Amino acid sequence: MPEPQVIIITGASRGIGHAIATHLLEAGHKVVLTARSPEKLEELQKEYPSQVQYLAADMTLPDTPYKLKELALLHFHHINAVIINHGALSPMTRVANSSIDDWKALFDANFFSALALAKETIPYLRETKGRLIFTSSGAATGAYTAWGAYGTSKAALNHLSKHIAVEEPDITSVAVSPGRVDTDMQKELREKGKAEMAPKDHEAFSKEFEAGTLVRPEQSGGVIANLAVSAKPELAGRYFKWNAPELAEYQLS
């Protein structure tokens, strides 16, 4: 069995993040988890006491990245990978109706907190020739009415990954769209998006849920988890859909 790796995961209490954490723990790896709500993190620590450390915290607070890094080093002594998975969808408003303060708050949540954690951990990822995996979105490359704040924040995340790949040749940085996943974010979209989204887009998302064809968190989460363990350097700086042919070896059988 390969040597267990030490992996930081944000947004780990539910949905894709929880699926990523579970996948890695079942494979014997060690994880440092964070989310605002501690209950699910506590459950994972009780089930895997020697493999889990966690921090219940808001990623937008300026000291959270430092605390996460220190927690990993204190208990596990190095860092092999960081999975930046946290994020928010709202505000769902058209640009003409939007609040600049709301956009700034979303960029703090989706982009600047990710930048802060990447900056904090890059020196340690250099040492291990590690991996930095960003949970992106199809909205980073395609536009939906009322998704301006979310889509542009994810596009910025993709570009951050590309810059890190250029600047840090010993770190493999990859951005992954997890697809339309059956998570709380999709529920938020269905319940709150109707007022501002284009009717055809809202209907398409709703129909996928009703048909049971949304991606399961374990599917795309498994790909992200496997990339964190063994993404090849030639993937650095690139953005992929979770089920892209280039990621076939990381997909669950």
Side-chain angles (χ1 to χ4, degrees):
M1 181 177 174
E3 185 74 18
Q5 298 197 21
V6 178
I7 300 169
I8 295 174
I9 309 166
T10 70
S13 65
R14 59 185 181 177
I16 297 167
H18 193 268
I20 292 168
T22 301
H23 182 94
L24 290 169
L25 288 166
E26 289 175 350
H29 298 292
K30 299 176 181 180
V31 298
V32 177
L33 310 175
T34 189
R36 285 176 294 182
S37 301
E39 292 80 11
K40 292 292 185 180
L41 310 184
E42 288 175 358
E43 289 176 10
L44 287 174
Q45 190 179 55
K46 287 177 182 177
E47 188 173 355
Y48 300 93
S50 66
Q51 295 172 243
V52 176
Q53 293 295 322
Y54 74 87
L55 176 70
D58 185 336
M59 281 301 300
T60 63
L61 296 178
D63 61 348
T64 298
Y66 172 81
K67 288 180 177 179
L68 274 177
K69 179 255 299 183
E70 288 296 299
L71 192 61
L73 296 177
L74 175 65
H75 291 277
F76 302 133
H77 314 301
H78 62 275
I79 302 169
N80 296 103
V82 177
I83 300 173
I84 297 179
N85 172 72
H86 66 283
L89 175 61
S90 292
M92 284 182 283
T93 55
R94 297 173 184 238
V95 173
N97 302 332
S98 65
S99 155
I100 298 302
D101 286 340
D102 287 347
W103 272 59
K104 287 180 178 179
L106 187 77
F107 264 74
D108 281 341
N110 288 6
F111 180 73
F112 287 111
S113 61
L115 172 61
L117 182 57
K119 181 178 183 296
E120 190 70 48
T121 55
I122 278 173
Y124 305 93
L125 293 173
R126 282 186 197 133
E127 292 177 2
T128 59
K129 298 190 185 307
R131 290 151 299 282
L132 186 55
I133 312 299
F134 295 91
T135 300
S136 183
S137 169
T141 58
Y144 295 99
T145 299
W147 283 32
Y150 179 76
T152 52
S153 72
K154 290 295 188 178
L157 209 60
N158 284 8
H159 215 64
L160 173 62
S161 179
K162 290 175 74 71
H163 277 285
I164 291 171
V166 169
E167 295 173 1
E168 302 291 340
D170 288 333
I171 298 173
T172 301
S173 177
V174 185
V176 181
S177 167
R180 295 182 179 180
V181 186
D182 192 8
T183 62
D184 288 347
M185 189 175 285
Q186 282 285 323
K187 182 179 180 183
E188 179 184 0
L189 181 160
R190 293 190 301 272
E191 293 177 353
K192 298 181 180 179
K194 190 172 184 178
E196 291 275 0
M197 287 178 67
K200 64 178 178 60
D201 292 334
H202 186 268
E203 183 180 359
F205 279 97
S206 298
K207 281 186 174 179
E208 281 205 53
F209 170 72
E210 292 162 4
T213 55
L214 292 174
V215 178
R216 290 181 289 107
E218 296 78 13
Q219 292 177 283
S220 49
V223 172
I224 292 169
N226 290 336
L227 284 166
V229 172
S230 59
K232 294 178 179 177
E234 55 263 34
L235 300 178
R238 300 181 65 187
Y239 160 79
F240 300 97
K241 293 182 179 179
W242 74 275
N243 57 353
E246 296 94 330
L247 300 185
E249 68 184 278
Y250 305 97
Q251 294 159 16
L252 305 180
S253 57

